[in-house]
Amino acid sequence: MKKAIFYHAGCPVCISAEHEIISLIGVERVHIGEERTRISEAEDAGVASVPALLTPNGQVLHLNFGASMEAVKG
Amino acid sequence: MKKAIFYHAGCPVCISAEHEIISLIGVERVHIGEERTRISEAEDAGVASVPALLTPNGQVLHLNFGASMEAVKG
């Protein structure tokens, strides 16, 4: 199968477009450093660190380790 | 349908994970400001500005306007 190619140059418009592509596939992006009211929701779902992907089945996939929730909460 | 949620905090590991998610859905990411040998390939495909999505059918979708190819070439 030929694949799609996303050409970008790291510019703000490029980054925004990439986020929209993520949204198109049904994944909501939540920056919990900025949307702090959603920290408790993430913790209740089992998120212990970021980045993490909460699947539609309620499972949490911790993808590598960027920062602990403690660090995010500051 | 319940959707997936990607929790992140803008950290480098978070950004890298997001790029991997993009790859998972079969989209190749090309930063033509860094991979300059691919500029001509993009131009041949019809990319006039970034960000742009080249579909598997060879169609170019220019997503908003971040920078012209002239600006990328510098």
Side-chain angles (χ1 to χ4, degrees):
Chain A
M1 185 189 81
K2 285 186 67 176
K3 63 186 168 187
I5 305 176
F6 179 67
Y7 291 104
H8 73 103
C11 58
V13 175
C14 297
I15 293 168
S16 173
E18 190 164 7
H19 293 172
E20 291 305 313
I21 292 172
I22 289 271
S23 298
L24 275 175
I25 61 169
V27 176
E28 179 183 7
R29 299 174 68 258
V30 177
H31 189 316
I32 53 176
E34 295 173 350
E35 296 183 59
R36 303 189 68 79
T37 58
R38 300 193 61 174
I39 289 176
S40 60
E41 160 203 306
E43 287 186 313
D44 289 346
V47 173
S49 63
V50 287
L53 190 61
L54 174 63
T55 75
N57 293 326
Q59 298 296 309
V60 176
L61 302 177
H62 292 101
L63 312 168
N64 298 328
F65 179 85
S68 69
M69 289 300 277
E70 294 309 313
V72 170
K73 287 191 280 188
Chain B
M1 187 186 82
K2 285 185 66 175
K3 62 186 168 185
I5 305 177
F6 179 68
Y7 291 104
H8 73 102
C11 58
V13 175
C14 297
I15 293 168
S16 174
E18 188 164 8
H19 293 171
E20 292 305 315
I21 293 172
I22 288 271
S23 298
L24 276 175
I25 60 168
V27 176
E28 180 184 6
R29 299 175 67 258
V30 176
H31 189 317
I32 53 176
E34 295 173 351
E35 296 184 58
R36 302 190 68 79
T37 58
R38 301 194 62 174
I39 290 176
S40 61
E41 161 203 306
E43 287 186 314
D44 289 347
V47 174
S49 63
V50 288
L53 190 62
L54 175 61
T55 74
N57 292 327
Q59 298 296 310
V60 177
L61 302 177
H62 292 99
L63 312 167
N64 297 330
F65 179 85
S68 68
M69 290 301 277
E70 295 308 315
V72 170
K73 288 191 280 187

